[in-house]
């Protein structure tokens, strides 16, 4: 299979490239600003999702596209941020879909699209694990843009030229094969930095009871790899990708156990954008994809974050 990956230079993108190359897939990385050195097996094509003229050439002769590129500033709610996310996430997806349709028509065949979506489409969530059939009520521009992108994917798939799967990712964590870890502004990296004395006390909104769902980045890559061979032309299926529910307080306890000291915490009132319970029901994902997250235990994720943290600071 020949696969084009958007967002290949990102945290998840690097892991997906590594996974697919290891499986013998012919990988092409779509590159915009970042110029990274790829393994010799990886081809590189220049492209910008905001410039549709070049995307038709970017998707030429590929059989599938892993669409991972996005602006991930989830919590920004300004008018500027909302417009940027609409352009990058929704507009970029629409441009990519148009290029794929053109290529499919040229070749007289169907193409496969893996669209990375987000748990942010659910909004506040509920007190029980979320199923993909539950209501989508995004509370952030990011979530709204991701939901609009999903809808565009579904509408295009209905025309029959592509088969698509959208994966609603919860909280990716853990180390990539290249040693990188999630954004330092996410919970586990921030907690590790505070426990290590490299940053001030961790600010926690509310009492720490908010429940989140963590999944190892390599398990996410496994779900993506499985999706690529299970799409059906003319269909669009949606699946959740999560693995290990844990409250903020439980994450801090685990980080403290590993560090041998409590994480210094400063509490403030809950933010109106926060969601008290955002956990995935993944029964249909496991069944449909034959997927089993085998690396997503919280102690493993925390240990990997500490190892990466100390490696980085010892090197510097």
């Amino acid at each position: 299979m020949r696969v084009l990956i958007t967002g290949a230079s990102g945290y998840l993108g690097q892991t997906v490239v590594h996974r697919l190359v290891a499986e013998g897939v012919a990988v092409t990385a779509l590159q915009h600003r970042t110029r990274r050195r790829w393994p010799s097996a990886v081809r590189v094509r220049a492209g910008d999702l905001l410039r549709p003229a070049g995307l038709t050439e970017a998707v030429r002769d590929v059989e599938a596209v892993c669409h991972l590129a996005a602006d991930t500033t989830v919590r920004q709610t300004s008018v500027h941020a909302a417009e940027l996310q609409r352009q990058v996430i929704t507009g970029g997806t629409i441009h990519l879909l148009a290029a794929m349709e053109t290529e499919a028509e040229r070749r007289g065949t169907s193409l496969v699209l893996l669209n990375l979506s987000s748990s942010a489409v659910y909004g506040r969530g509920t007190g029980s694990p979320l199923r993909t059939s539950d209501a989508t009520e995004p509370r952030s521009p990011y979530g709204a843009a991701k939901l609009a992108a999903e809808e565009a994917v579904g509408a295009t798939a209905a025309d029959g030229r592509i088969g698509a799967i959208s994966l609603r990712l919860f909280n990716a964590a853990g180390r990539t094969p290249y040693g990188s870890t999630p954004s330092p502004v996410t919970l586990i990296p921030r907690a590790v930095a505070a426990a290590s004395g490299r940053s001030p006390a961790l600010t926690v909104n509310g009492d720490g009871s908010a429940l989140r769902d963590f999944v190892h980045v390599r398990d996410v890559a496994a779900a993506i790899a499985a999706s690529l061979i299970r799409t059906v032309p003319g269909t669009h299926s949606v699946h959740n990708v999560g693995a290990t529910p844990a409250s903020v307080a439980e994450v801090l306890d685990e980080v403290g156990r590993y560090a041998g000291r409590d994480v210094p915490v400063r509490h403030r009132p809950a933010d109106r954008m926060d969601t008290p319970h955002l956990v995935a029901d993944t029964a249909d994902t496991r069944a449909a994809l034959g997927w089993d997250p085998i690396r997503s235990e919280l102690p493993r994720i925390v240990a990997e974050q500490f190892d990466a943290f100390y490696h980085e600071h010892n090197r510097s």
Side-chain angles (χ1 to χ4, degrees):
M1 180 178 281
R2 300 182 301 276
V3 178
L4 177 75
I5 302 178
T6 75
S9 297
Y11 169 60
L12 175 57
Q14 296 174 44
T15 315
V16 172
V17 168
H18 183 275
R19 172 82 187 215
L20 295 183
V21 168
E23 293 186 358
V25 174
V27 171
T28 298
L30 184 70
Q31 205 153 254
H32 173 33
R33 291 192 183 94
T34 304
R35 295 292 182 265
R36 59 177 300 118
R37 298 177 69 178
W38 294 105
S40 58
V42 178
R43 298 176 60 192
V44 177
R45 286 180 180 169
D48 184 345
L49 292 172
L50 298 184
R51 298 181 183 277
L55 290 178
T56 302
E57 182 60 31
V59 301
R60 188 169 296 275
D61 297 326
V62 303
E63 296 166 290
V65 176
C66 282
H67 181 35
L68 312 180
D71 180 337
T72 57
T73 51
V74 181
R75 297 176 67 85
Q76 292 190 20
T77 57
S78 68
V79 172
H80 173 72
E83 177 58 21
L84 179 63
Q85 289 163 352
R86 186 193 67 78
Q87 290 178 10
V88 173
I89 297 171
T90 309
T93 300
I94 290 171
H95 295 160
L96 179 62
L97 288 167
M100 291 181 68
E101 280 199 297
T102 299
E103 175 65 5
E105 185 172 5
R106 181 186 75 83
R107 286 157 49 185
T109 187
S110 62
L111 302 183
V112 169
L113 175 66
L114 182 287
N115 173 53
L116 186 69
S117 190
S118 169
S119 61
V121 303
Y122 291 112
R124 191 169 176 79
T126 66
S128 58
L130 289 157
R131 298 167 296 180
T132 55
S133 58
D134 288 336
T136 49
E137 299 175 347
R139 306 176 74 219
S140 67
Y142 176 79
K146 279 292 191 182
L147 183 58
E150 273 191 28
E151 291 168 348
V153 171
T156 303
D159 291 339
R161 292 192 179 95
I162 69 167
I165 292 181
S166 289
L167 297 182
R168 291 176 178 170
L169 178 60
F170 281 64
N171 295 279
R175 293 181 75 175
T176 73
Y178 301 101
S180 61
T181 54
S183 165
V185 303
T186 56
L187 175 60
I188 294 177
R190 287 168 54 225
V192 168
S196 305
R198 295 277 186 165
S199 71
L202 178 70
T203 299
V204 174
N205 296 336
D207 60 4
S209 63
L211 201 59
R212 298 292 179 262
D213 198 324
F214 299 91
V215 56
H216 198 288
V217 65
R218 295 199 191 194
D219 286 332
V220 181
I224 289 172
S227 298
L228 290 174
I229 60 174
R230 287 173 170 81
T231 54
V232 178
T235 67
H236 175 222
S237 59
V238 181
H239 299 288
N240 288 329
V241 179
T244 303
S247 68
V248 173
E250 288 170 333
V251 170
L252 299 185
D253 285 346
E254 185 59 42
V255 171
R257 274 193 292 272
Y258 196 92
R261 65 180 71 90
D262 290 342
V263 179
V265 173
R266 180 170 62 89
H267 286 276
R268 68 182 182 187
D271 189 284
R272 66 180 182 85
M273 294 300 295
D274 287 340
T275 55
H277 190 288
L278 203 62
V279 173
D281 182 330
T282 61
D284 65 335
T285 310
R286 295 169 187 251
L289 303 182
W291 177 68
D292 183 21
I294 59 175
R295 298 179 177 86
S296 295
E297 304 91 345
L298 187 60
R300 174 176 182 157
I301 289 172
V302 168
E304 288 187 6
Q305 186 68 45
F306 267 102
D307 290 348
F309 181 86
Y310 284 123
H311 176 76
E312 178 65 26
H313 285 277
N314 288 337
R315 187 176 60 185
S316 61

